[in-house]
Amino acid sequence: MINDTFNSFSMLNGLAPSTPVYISVDGLPMTKINDDSIHRLNEYVKSLRKRFQNEPRVTILNNYEMGHISNSIRVSLEMVKTKYIYVVQHDFKFLKLVNHTALTKSMRENPEILIVRFGKRNTGDSVNSVCNESNYIEANGLKFTRGAWSDNNHFTTKAYYYQLLAQIGPSSRPPEAPMMYQGGHIHESKPSDRNCSFAYQYVYNLKDGPYIEHLDGRHTTSYGRLRYRL
């Protein structure tokens, strides 16, 4: 599965092939720590190291405690030394060419575009009416559609994630629910709790999607998360 996702990085057109990749391997939850699960996790990490031993741009980050998505990203950010990052789930591969050069240029020229998600369908990302920000932005031949926050593959900055992690705190959790709450995509959210300038994403060329495909990771033994920095 990680092979499919890793190989799909060739779809990021314009991204240097030497761009570092960080694979964050999460630890086990306390309730699942036993001899068998520890052995299987160790074997998984060994297989990863063997698979990428001739890939100098790949670093495997082995986390000894369960950090879930939030703290897996936190650990990875400690290694990142550049402004922009791709955050990629191990079970979502890219399907179509992404114009990385135009994407980066668009974010630099449009500071309101803080984070861009790649859709797994070409419909369904409805505009959130509680926010007053632009529903659509067109730049450099790309169209960005404002939609709900999701942890599916996305492109953003290191600074954005430091702010996000500071907001949701140190607990091990997926960031998706609190970000959707802040963005007004959960009905119970209070207007006073909303942060429309931060807690939503723009979707990359929505109508041309899907750009990613789910590889059914929930039904496969796998602990890896990919972090791609540039």
Side-chain angles (χ1 to χ4, degrees):
M1 180 182 299
I2 280 189
N3 281 331
D4 288 343
T5 302
F6 180 81
N7 291 335
S8 77
F9 292 161
S10 61
M11 295 293 182
L12 303 175
N13 192 31
L15 185 67
S18 60
T19 298
V21 177
Y22 298 104
I23 302 178
S24 181
V25 183
D26 208 2
L28 295 166
M30 295 297 294
T31 57
K32 294 186 178 180
I33 293 179
N34 55 59
D35 289 344
D36 179 62
S37 62
I38 292 172
H39 174 73
R40 288 190 293 114
L41 179 57
N42 284 338
E43 290 300 308
Y44 177 76
V45 173
K46 287 180 184 178
S47 296
L48 277 180
R49 289 175 177 158
K50 182 178 292 186
R51 162 63 180 85
F52 294 107
Q53 63 183 338
N54 296 318
E55 293 275 5
R57 65 178 176 145
V58 175
T59 300
I60 298 169
L61 305 175
N62 194 180
N63 305 310
Y64 294 98
E65 296 179 342
M66 181 183 176
H68 217 299
I69 296 175
S70 58
N71 288 316
S72 291
I73 293 174
R74 197 187 305 274
V75 168
S76 300
L77 289 179
E78 294 174 356
M79 306 295 293
V80 174
K81 295 179 171 58
T82 52
K83 179 176 181 178
Y84 293 101
I85 58 172
Y86 284 95
V87 177
V88 179
Q89 295 289 344
H90 70 282
D91 53 355
F92 276 101
K93 71 175 183 179
F94 288 96
L95 289 176
K96 297 182 68 175
L97 285 176
V98 171
N99 191 332
H100 167 75
T101 304
L103 172 57
T104 307
K105 188 172 187 289
S106 298
M107 290 188 69
R108 287 173 176 157
E109 294 173 349
N110 298 272
E112 66 270 38
I113 303 178
L114 299 177
I115 179 168
V116 174
R117 173 163 54 88
F118 304 96
K120 59 183 178 182
R121 58 182 68 89
N122 59 10
T123 59
D125 280 285
S126 58
V127 172
N128 181 4
S129 60
V130 304
C131 294
N132 295 321
E133 281 74 12
S134 301
N135 294 336
Y136 308 98
I137 295 176
E138 295 191 48
N140 303 296
L142 303 177
K143 185 172 183 178
F144 303 93
T145 304
R146 186 157 53 81
W149 208 99
S150 168
D151 57 21
N152 293 171
N153 298 0
H154 51 271
F155 180 71
T156 185
T157 63
K158 181 179 179 180
Y160 179 91
Y161 255 105
Y162 272 133
Q163 184 176 344
L164 182 156
L165 292 172
Q167 287 187 13
I168 68 174
S171 298
S172 301
R173 63 181 304 172
E176 187 170 286
M179 296 305 291
M180 290 183 70
Y181 180 88
Q182 287 188 44
H185 289 94
I186 294 178
H187 295 302
E188 294 78 11
S189 64
K190 301 176 183 177
S192 59
D193 293 335
R194 292 171 186 160
N195 184 354
C196 290
S197 63
F198 184 76
Y200 61 82
Q201 295 169 322
Y202 281 97
V203 184
Y204 180 96
N205 279 359
L206 175 62
K207 297 302 182 182
D208 291 338
Y211 276 87
I212 60 174
E213 178 185 11
H214 188 216
L215 300 175
D216 203 17
R218 290 183 181 274
H219 299 91
T220 305
T221 301
S222 181
Y223 303 88
R225 300 188 188 282
L226 303 182
R227 304 289 175 259
Y228 209 8
R229 69 96 166 167
L230 61 151

